[in-house]
Amino acid sequence: MPAQSAVLPNAIDQGGRWFWNFLKAELTPYPGRAWVVARITVSATIVMLLVMTFRIPGGFQGAIFTLLISRESPAETFLSGFRTGWLT
């Protein structure tokens, strides 16, 4: 039976490889990705500006919802937000 100290670096190395491969697959550019990132960034910024300007209590949830609800197209984002608002 191999010592635990010999097995642990192999497990960490395999987990590290998996993590980097996962990041590489998730962050590879695809057509329209820049548009989606820009839309999410602008909408989260506008929400936080409104929350900070009008001092809305619990407004941090607006930025969280901006990130959680956003989808690939504005129409899908609207439907997702509508469904979320309807359920809460």
Side-chain angles (χ1 to χ4, degrees):
M1 181 169 157
Q4 185 174 1
S5 61
V7 174
L8 191 56
N10 289 336
I12 292 173
D13 188 41
Q14 289 173 357
R17 281 190 200 133
W18 172 85
F19 181 70
W20 287 115
N21 288 334
F22 171 75
L23 280 180
K24 186 188 286 185
E26 288 295 314
L27 297 176
T28 22
Y30 57 85
R33 183 181 189 114
W35 170 248
V36 172
V37 170
R39 187 169 44 90
I40 292 171
T41 303
V42 168
S43 60
T45 303
I46 290 171
V47 166
M48 286 313 295
L49 282 172
L50 291 172
V51 166
M52 296 300 286
T53 301
F54 297 112
R55 297 183 181 184
I56 300 171
F60 69 93
Q61 293 173 342
I64 292 172
F65 282 142
T66 303
L67 298 174
L68 293 178
I69 292 174
S70 56
R71 302 285 181 249
E72 294 296 321
S73 72
E76 290 177 18
T77 301
F78 178 76
L79 287 175
S80 178
F82 183 75
R83 286 186 207 124
T84 302
W86 184 260
L87 293 175
T88 55

